[in-house]
Amino acid sequence: MTGSAAGSITFELAAEGDALGIARMSRDFIETGLGWSWTAARVLRSIRDAEALVLVAREGRHIIGFAIMDFGDESAHLALLAVDLSHRRRGVGRHLFDWLKQSALTAGIAVVKLELRAGNLEAQHFYRSLGFEEVGWTVGYYRRRETALRMALRLRQPTAGSPHSAR
């Protein structure tokens, strides 16, 4: 799917030079009010990590969306996914996730897991539309201040006796 396009938007693997732009989007759209934990250095580690997939959506040279997913033996963890406010509800997030899901299926992943702020109803709706289901809550997950809703998307049945957690 490298370099695929939807209109004037392109979707591709993130390059090392994208780390700061991705980190800023995480700070502005995901980590608002929590402090900045997904710094450029942390994003760069994910870009360089063979067990992670970092994607960007671009309009021209500007990053308008991104996604980061870590892969384990049978489960993957969707760490971050964000789309610029001006491009939401246009299929950008769905296209990013479809690429991740195809990669997970190819890798033999049984389940994709994620956490999101319990109060983020827009994100809850988005992930439910992708087929994710609620699997639990973790009080104080975000900086010991906010509850996380945990969700999962089962892609296949896990192999008996194998570890199920992403890294």
Side-chain angles (χ1 to χ4, degrees), residues 8-141:
S8 63
I9 299 171
T10 59
F11 298 84
E12 59 193 15
L13 295 172
E16 290 185 3
D18 295 327
L20 180 58
I22 292 169
R24 286 179 174 158
M25 285 186 75
S26 177
R27 177 195 65 200
D28 296 345
F29 299 128
I30 299 171
E31 299 181 87
T32 305
L34 295 175
W36 195 9
S37 69
W38 279 90
T39 61
R42 185 174 180 190
V43 172
L44 185 58
R45 282 192 301 275
S46 289
I47 290 171
R48 292 176 174 167
D49 186 348
E51 302 297 320
L53 185 55
V54 183
L55 306 174
V56 291
R58 295 182 201 280
E59 187 168 61
R61 295 178 5 174
H62 300 287
I63 297 172
I64 56 148
F66 75 92
I68 300 175
M69 191 154 81
D70 298 310
F71 290 76
D73 290 333
E74 288 204 321
S75 86
H77 180 251
L78 180 56
L80 297 172
L81 189 152
V83 175
D84 186 89
L85 294 171
S86 65
H87 288 79
R88 290 189 184 164
R89 300 189 189 281
R90 295 185 184 181
V92 175
R94 182 173 295 277
H95 193 98
L96 288 165
F97 183 74
D98 286 347
W99 184 338
L100 294 173
K101 182 178 175 183
Q102 286 298 19
S103 299
L105 288 166
T106 300
I109 297 297
V111 63
V112 177
K113 300 175 183 179
L114 62 84
E115 301 84 27
L116 65 139
R117 288 170 141 174
N120 189 341
L121 300 180
E122 182 180 11
Q124 286 181 39
H125 176 74
F126 172 71
Y127 290 118
R128 284 191 175 98
S129 77
L130 296 174
F132 280 85
E133 297 179 347
E134 180 182 321
V135 294
W137 300 80
T138 303
V139 175
Y141 180 85

